[in-house]
Amino acid sequence: MNPVRRLGVGAVAVAVLGTAVPATASAAPVITMSGSTSVAPLASLLAKGYLKDRRLKGKLKFKLAQGGSDVGVADVAAGRVSIGNSSRDPKDSDSGVVFNKIAKDAICLITNPANRLPNLTQNQIKSIFSGDVRNWEDVPGSTVSGPIDLTVRTAASGTQDAFQKIFLGPTKLSPIASAKSSNGLVQQTVKGNKNAIGYVSQDFTSGVNAPAYAGVSCNLANAKSGQYGGVRSFYMVTRGAARGGTKKFISWVQGSKVAQKIIATHWVPLR
Amino acid sequence: MATEIRTPGTLPPLPPYVPPGGPRRPPRRRRTGESLSTWRYGDRVAFALCWACGLALCLIAAAIVVYLGVRGVQYLTFTLLTTHPEAGLDQAKTGGFLDPIVGTVLLTVIGIAIATPIAVGTAVWIVEYGRPSAFARAVESGIEIVAGTPDIVIAIFGLALFQQHLFAPLSLTADGGAVFGRSFMTAGAMMSLIALPMVFGTTREGLQAVPAHVREASYGLGKTRIATIRRVLLPSVRSNISTGMALGMGRICGDTAVVIVLLGATLRLESEGSIPGFNALKGTGSTLTSYVYNNSPAGEGNAPQKAYAAAFVLLLIVVALNLAVDVIARRGSQTGLQNGRLGA
Amino acid sequence: MLERLRAPWSDRRAERVLGALASLVLLVIALMIVFVAVKAWPTLRNNHLIGWLGFGGDVDAQISDQVNGVGRGGDQFAINAGPLIYATVLTTAVAVVVGLAFALFSAIFIVEFAPPRLRRVIVPVVRLLAAVPSVIYGLIGILVLAPFVNDHLLPDGRKRSVEYVVQLSGTSLLVATLVLTVMITPIMIAIITDALYSVPKSWTEGAVALGVNRWRATWTVSVRAARPAIIAAAVLATARALGEGIMLSMVSGGRGFSPNPLDGLSFLFEPLRPLAATIVENVESLNAPAIRSSVYAFALLLLLSSFALSVGGYIAKQPMKKYGIRV
C-alpha cells in the first residue's frame, strides 16, 4: 500500500473511532446499572437528577444497560454491575442480593375502546383470567359480545409476576391465555381486538379503555394516594448491602426530596 | 414517339420507384417463433404459472419497498438522525437514533475487519495448499456449518464464551470481579463468524477460477508459491474479496440476535476504560436493528414511528451495500485474470 | 524486526501460518459445539438424552416453572419440547416447499419469459430483497399483516368455536409462514437464476432446434442441469428458515401450541412458537440453571439439524455427479 493510501485508511479509522468516543476519558468512578426496561426511564432520570443535585457532574459516571429484570438480578449477583434494576419481586432463587425498593408503579387492566367496561372487582378478574368466565356476555358492564381473549405477559416478566401476586393471588392463570413479551405487544393486541382484555404498566394506557379496579380508576393520582390497589414495586438490587458510592446513591433515591419529586412525575414515590 | 438521342447528364430525374401493389409499407413486426396455440395443454398451464409467479414477485417486492419508503419518509426527520437517544418515557417525542447509526457502522467495521484476513487466509490455504486433505475437507464443512447456524445460537455461544475470565480485556470488569462479557469487541467477534462464510466463499471461487497457466507462468519465472499468492493471485481476486466483504457487511448490518444478546443494550454508546479509541470498543451501545426491535411492539419502546424511520435508514444502508456489490462485481469481471483473460 | 517480516517468506512458513488460521476457524467451530453441548448436558442427562423431544404437558407451563426456579434436583430440568419442534418443522417445511416452487417458476420467468426491461429491474430487486434484515420483515408482519388478518380474515364464529382450547388471533401460523416464505424465497430465486443462466445456451438451442417449445426446452434441459443448484438453494433456505428467531418471535403468536390440521380452517389461525423464537424470548432468563440448560439444549438441536442439513444436501447431490454436472 502506498503511503498516501495508508494515510487515508488511518484517517478513516481515526475518524470512525473518534466519532464514537465521548470527549472525556478520565478515570471517574462509575456506577453501572443493568436490568428492567420498565425501570430504565426512571433510573436514567434519577441518575441525571443525582448528578445535578449533588453537583457531581464529571466526578461520577452512570452507565445504564437494559436487558430485562432477570438479566439485571443475575448481573448484580455475579458482580458484573453495581446495581440491578428490577420490576419484579424477589424470587426464592435469588440469594445473596438485597432488593432496595425505590418506587411503585400502577398496573392497569385494559380492554378495547369498543368495550367500555367501567369496573372490575377482584373476583371478576380472578374468574376471567382463570378461564371460569369465557364470554363477554357473562361480564356485567361490557359492551361487546363474544369470547374473551386473554392477553398476558410471558413468565419472565416482572409485570406478570406482579399481576399474579396482586390481582390473582393463589388462582392459577388460564393456560389458554396468549402470552406476549412486552407491554407494547399487549397494548397493540388489545387495541386491535375488540374481545381482548389484558394488563399493562400505567404508561401504556393510551388508545385503550382502562376499567376501574374495585371502584377506583387507574391513574397516577389514585395510585399515589394509595386508593388504587394494583401497584407493584420497582427495586434497585445490590449484591449484599449497598456500599460506598452505590450506597450514597440509593439512600439519596430513597430519602431525598429531589428524588421523590423526580419519581412523582410518572411513578408513585414511596412517601 | 421517335427515339430521341439524349446526351448523358441531361436525363430528367426519374420518379421514385413504386412497386406494384402500392407504396412499400414498413414491414409489420411478426412474432417470430411459435404461438401458444401449438403448445400442449400442460405446457400452457405452466407458462401461465410462470407469468403469475413473476408478476406476484414484482408486486410483493414493490409492496415492501414502497410501503417502507412511504412510512420512512413520513416519519424520518433530520433531528432524528442527529440527536442522541433518550431513555424517556414518551419515546414518540424524545431523542433520535444517532448512536444506533454509529453503533451499526462501528460494529460492521469491527466484524468485517476481523473476518476478512481470517477468511482470505483460510481460502488461500484451502485452494493453494490444502494438505492433509481430510483436514481441508473438515475446515470446509466447518465453515458450511457456521454458515447454516442460526444467529441466536452464535449469540448465546458468544455470551457463554466471553464471560470467562480469559476474555476480561474485551469488555468491562465490574468491581464484583465478574466479566460483563458484552461489548463491541465481543459482538464484533461473533459478527465476524457470521460474515466469515461469505468472504470465504467468494474468495475461494475467485481463486479457483484463476486458470492454472497463470500460476505456472509465475512458477516458471522462479517465484515461490507464497510470492505467487501475494503478487499474482491476491491482486487478481481483489474484486471477489470486495464482493464477499460487501455481502458480509450486509449480513452483519441486518443481524439482530447477536446485537441484542452481546452488545450490552445501552441506548447510547458508553465507552469503558481510558485508552482513547479502544475504550469505545470495550464499551456497549446499540445498533439500528436492536433499535427497531426495541421500538416495535415486540420491545418496550412503544414508538412505531421511530421504528419505521430507523427501518428506512437501515434499508438505505443495505441498498447502498448492494449497489457497491454490483459495481465491484461488474468492474471486477472486466479486469482481472479470471476466465483466461490477461489484463490489468 | 520488521525487516525480517518483510523479507520473502519461505513456503513452509507461509503454509504453517495459513494452516494455523484455518485451524483457528475449526477450533472456534469445535468450541461452539462443545460449549453448547456442555451447557445443555443437565437437560439431556435428566431427560434420558432424547426424552425431552416428545410431547406431554404444557411446554409453556414447564418453561415458566423453569424460569421461576420451581422444583429442585433433577425434576426441574424436565421439559417436553414436542410442540416447539413440531412448530419448527411445520413452518420450515411449508415455507421451503411453497418457496421452492414459487422460486423455481419465478426463476424460469426471469430467465425465459420476462421482457428485457422488466428483467433488468427485477434481478437487482430480488438481490435486494434477499439482503433485507429479518427485523424489518418482522416489523411489517406485526404492524401490518397481523392486524389485517385479525380484523378482516378471522371471523368471530371461528374464534368462538375453539375458545375453550386456544385463542385465535392475527399472529398465527398463517402470517408466520407467509412472512417466512417471503423472506427465504429471494435467496432461492437468486441462486436458481444464476444457475439457469450458466447452463450453456447450445443445450437449450439444440432442444428448440428439434422442435420442442420454449417452456419444455427450459424445463427438460436447463432445470434438469441446474438440479444441484436447486438443491443447494433449498438447503440454504431451509437453514435460514430453521434459524429464524427474531422475525418469528414477533409474528408467530408466542404460545407453545401445536396447530392441529384436523381443526379445518382454524388451523391457519392457531398460534405457535418455533424453537429459535423460544430461544429469543427466553434469552434474558439465562441465569436460572434449569431454563439455561433447556435453551442450550434447543440450540444444540438447531446446530445438529443444520449439520444434518448440509450432510443431506451433499448426499442428495451425489447421484448427479455422474452426468458431469459440476456439483
Side-chain angles (χ1 to χ4, degrees):
Chain A
M1 248 198 309
N2 62 42
V4 175
R5 196 178 297 177
R6 222 174 290 173
L7 203 60
V9 168
V12 166
V14 167
V16 167
L17 289 175
T19 56
V21 170
T24 59
S26 60
V30 182
I31 295 186
T32 45
M33 298 196 269
S34 93
S36 164
T37 40
S38 352
V39 183
L42 176 60
S44 145
L45 286 172
L46 284 172
K48 282 204 269 260
Y50 181 64
L51 291 176
K52 193 158 153 232
D53 185 46
R54 291 289 159 95
R55 281 185 274 272
L56 285 169
K57 254 203 173 87
K59 292 196 211 110
L60 180 65
K61 239 173 81 91
F62 278 96
K63 265 199 230 203
L64 178 60
Q66 295 175 29
S69 299
D70 281 336
V71 167
V73 173
D75 277 345
V76 87
R80 290 193 272 263
V81 292
S82 328
I83 298 179
N85 298 324
S86 171
S87 59
R88 63 163 173 81
D89 287 344
K91 287 206 277 248
D92 300 327
S93 50
D94 296 327
S95 61
V97 290
V98 171
F99 277 66
N100 308 294
K101 203 188 290 202
I102 58 164
K104 294 209 270 259
D105 180 45
I107 296 185
C108 296
L109 290 150
I110 53 171
T111 59
N112 189 274
N115 184 3
R116 282 182 298 280
L117 191 61
N119 182 42
L120 280 172
T121 64
Q122 189 175 22
N123 279 331
Q124 281 176 315
I125 295 178
K126 279 191 190 171
S127 49
I128 290 178
F129 277 88
S130 66
D132 289 338
V133 170
R134 304 275 187 171
N135 291 300
W136 281 114
E137 291 92 353
D138 302 328
V139 177
S142 85
T143 55
V144 296
S145 64
I148 301 182
D149 284 340
L150 298 171
T151 318
V152 299
R153 296 286 304 277
T154 52
S157 153
T159 321
Q160 160 70 13
D161 200 49
F163 178 77
Q164 176 77 45
K165 282 215 187 89
I166 300 172
F167 290 88
L168 291 186
T171 320
K172 272 182 75 85
L173 189 62
S174 162
I176 68 167
S178 171
K180 306 289 175 194
S181 50
S182 70
N183 277 320
L185 268 177
V186 174
Q187 184 192 27
Q188 192 214 25
T189 309
V190 169
K191 233 195 263 195
N193 179 1
K194 65 175 175 57
N195 292 337
I197 181 172
Y199 55 86
V200 288
S201 191
Q202 187 250 324
D203 321 302
F204 286 83
T205 50
S206 72
V208 288
N209 169 46
Y213 171 54
V216 183
S217 71
C218 178
N219 54 38
L220 197 53
N222 287 343
K224 278 190 201 166
S225 66
Q227 283 184 309
Y228 186 72
V231 286
R232 51 107 176 237
S233 312
F234 282 167
Y235 300 91
M236 282 193 177
V237 187
T238 50
R239 192 188 199 190
R243 286 185 301 274
T246 315
K247 179 160 193 250
K248 287 197 212 138
F249 176 58
I250 294 187
S251 36
W252 177 85
V253 167
Q254 288 176 324
S256 94
K257 286 212 182 59
V258 179
Q260 301 300 314
K261 225 189 299 197
I262 295 178
I263 298 176
T265 49
H266 288 281
W267 300 273
V268 179
L270 288 178
R271 332 167 183 265
Chain B
M1 194 61 61
T3 52
E4 297 174 342
I5 308 287
R6 295 197 183 185
T7 53
T10 60
L11 284 173
L14 291 171
Y17 172 67
V18 178
R24 197 183 275 163
R25 285 185 299 271
R28 190 172 320 158
R29 248 178 46 147
R30 244 169 319 162
R31 195 185 301 265
T32 53
E34 70 250 286
S35 79
L36 220 51
S37 53
T38 61
W39 290 22
R40 282 200 223 164
Y41 188 60
D43 294 350
R44 268 182 263 181
V45 167
F47 180 74
L49 201 57
C50 281
W51 266 92
C53 286
L55 289 177
L57 175 68
C58 299
L59 280 174
I60 293 178
I64 294 178
V65 171
V66 163
Y67 185 76
L68 274 178
V70 161
R71 288 278 183 216
V73 167
Q74 183 182 0
Y75 293 125
L76 186 64
T77 65
F78 189 66
T79 45
L80 275 183
L81 282 176
T82 50
T83 36
H84 294 277
E86 307 273 343
L89 253 193
D90 197 356
Q91 274 293 314
K93 297 203 183 67
T94 56
F97 44 82
L98 174 66
D99 284 54
I101 294 180
V102 174
T104 307
V105 171
L106 193 57
L107 192 62
T108 310
V109 165
I110 297 175
I112 206 69
I114 300 178
T116 305
I118 301 182
V120 171
T122 310
V124 165
W125 182 81
I126 285 201
V127 174
E128 298 297 317
Y129 297 98
R131 286 190 309 236
S133 63
F135 186 59
R137 295 305 134 244
V139 171
E140 277 182 334
S141 325
I143 295 193
E144 246 188 67
I145 292 181
V146 170
T149 309
D151 42 8
I152 186 70
V153 172
I154 293 185
I156 58 179
F157 161 61
L159 193 64
L161 182 68
F162 288 116
Q163 279 178 341
Q164 312 293 324
H165 280 281
L166 182 63
F167 294 102
L170 288 181
S171 64
L172 84 91
T173 306
D175 8 82
V179 180
F180 196 56
R182 314 199 274 277
S183 67
F184 272 104
M185 278 301 298
T186 58
M190 287 299 116
M191 286 297 199
S192 72
L193 261 189
I194 288 181
L196 187 87
M198 304 259 135
V199 188
F200 173 81
T202 52
T203 313
R204 185 180 56 168
E205 260 179 47
L207 283 173
Q208 280 172 344
V210 175
H213 62 78
V214 172
R215 295 186 181 86
E216 287 164 8
S218 174
Y219 299 148
L221 289 172
K223 292 295 214 179
T224 59
R225 187 173 281 205
I226 185 64
T228 311
I229 294 173
R230 237 180 94 192
R231 301 290 182 185
V232 176
L233 294 179
L234 280 186
S236 76
V237 296
R238 244 202 307 246
S239 75
N240 294 78
I241 299 180
S242 313
T243 310
M245 279 172 71
L247 286 173
M249 284 200 275
R251 213 172 152 196
I252 293 181
C253 276
D255 193 82
T256 319
V258 172
V259 175
I260 289 180
V261 173
L262 277 178
L263 202 51
T266 55
L267 271 180
R268 302 202 186 181
L269 252 51
E270 311 267 2
S271 35
E272 164 65 27
S274 49
I275 310 172
F278 196 59
N279 57 359
L281 299 181
K282 265 173 80 165
T284 58
S286 64
T287 63
L288 277 174
T289 45
S290 72
Y291 189 80
V292 170
Y293 183 73
N294 285 325
N295 277 7
S296 75
E300 290 281 344
N302 199 22
Q305 307 89 349
K306 288 216 211 138
Y308 275 124
F312 183 62
V313 174
L314 186 60
L315 195 63
L316 287 181
I317 295 181
V318 167
V319 166
L321 281 172
N322 258 41
L323 274 177
V325 169
D326 275 341
V327 163
I328 297 172
R330 212 176 313 142
R331 205 152 28 107
S333 69
Q334 292 158 4
T335 67
L337 298 169
Q338 294 142 32
N339 308 319
R341 221 166 345 141
L342 293 169
Chain C
M1 193 192 80
L2 261 169
E3 279 314 313
R4 210 155 55 106
L5 276 176
R6 298 178 100 214
W9 283 22
S10 74
D11 264 347
R12 286 237 310 272
R13 184 200 291 184
E15 185 172 359
R16 262 183 261 136
V17 167
L18 291 176
L21 270 180
S23 38
L24 177 69
V25 173
L26 207 54
L27 177 70
V28 169
I29 296 160
L31 258 180
M32 179 162 67
I33 301 178
V34 163
F35 257 83
V36 171
V38 162
K39 294 241 179 220
W41 179 241
T43 298
L44 299 177
R45 181 186 50 191
N46 284 297
N47 285 296
H48 315 293
L49 275 190
I50 52 173
W52 59 282
L53 295 174
F55 291 81
D58 184 1
V59 69
D60 275 346
Q62 289 166 341
I63 288 183
S64 77
D65 279 345
Q66 287 189 340
V67 168
N68 289 323
V70 166
R72 291 282 171 267
D75 291 339
Q76 56 178 319
F77 295 105
I79 191 165
N80 293 96
L84 308 177
I85 300 177
Y86 169 64
T88 314
V89 169
L90 186 62
T91 47
T92 308
V94 172
V96 170
V97 166
V98 171
L100 190 60
F102 187 81
L104 193 56
F105 285 108
S106 303
I108 296 177
F109 172 77
I110 293 176
V111 173
E112 274 296 320
F113 301 124
R117 272 187 303 203
L118 186 60
R119 187 182 305 154
R120 262 202 299 273
V121 169
I122 201 73
V123 170
V125 166
V126 162
R127 248 183 253 137
L128 169 68
L129 277 186
V132 168
S134 56
V135 74
I136 294 187
Y137 282 111
L139 193 71
I140 296 183
I142 200 179
L143 286 178
V144 177
L145 282 179
F148 175 76
V149 167
N150 197 26
D151 294 337
H152 301 284
L153 290 182
L154 187 54
D156 237 7
R158 184 160 303 282
K159 273 206 223 180
R160 216 189 268 257
S161 68
V162 290
E163 69 185 20
Y164 284 90
V165 182
V166 69
Q167 272 170 219
L168 302 181
S169 75
T171 53
S172 56
L173 174 66
L174 177 67
V175 174
T177 315
L178 189 65
V179 181
L180 193 61
T181 311
V182 171
M183 225 177 72
I184 63 176
T185 305
I187 311 170
M188 291 199 272
I189 296 181
I191 296 181
I192 299 179
T193 318
D194 279 343
L196 288 177
Y197 270 132
S198 69
V199 170
K201 269 196 97 60
S202 55
W203 295 8
T204 35
E205 284 171 6
V208 171
L210 287 173
V212 174
N213 62 45
R214 276 167 69 199
W215 155 261
R216 197 161 273 274
T218 312
W219 183 255
T220 52
V221 175
S222 297
V223 169
R224 239 180 122 73
R227 272 179 310 168
I230 296 178
I231 293 185
V235 166
L236 208 63
T238 312
R240 180 127 194 231
L242 272 179
E244 184 46 52
I246 297 284
M247 185 274 292
L248 283 175
S249 79
M250 288 163 103
V251 303
S252 70
R255 246 203 88 186
F257 181 78
S258 319
N260 191 355
L262 297 176
D263 282 341
L265 218 50
S266 307
F267 169 62
L268 290 174
F269 299 107
E270 287 168 0
L272 76 175
R273 194 179 59 212
L275 275 174
T278 311
I279 298 182
V280 167
E281 285 186 9
N282 286 304
V283 83
E284 54 174 54
S285 325
L286 277 185
N287 53 295
I291 189 69
R292 177 171 61 218
S293 61
S294 295
V295 164
Y296 276 98
F298 299 157
L300 183 66
L301 187 62
L302 285 175
L303 257 184
L304 289 178
S305 56
S306 82
F307 177 65
L309 209 60
S310 16
V311 169
Y314 175 75
I315 293 179
K317 284 198 255 180
Q318 289 313 96
M320 301 180 191
K321 266 210 176 116
K322 64 181 178 194
Y323 293 114
I325 304 172
R326 202 186 81 152
V327 172

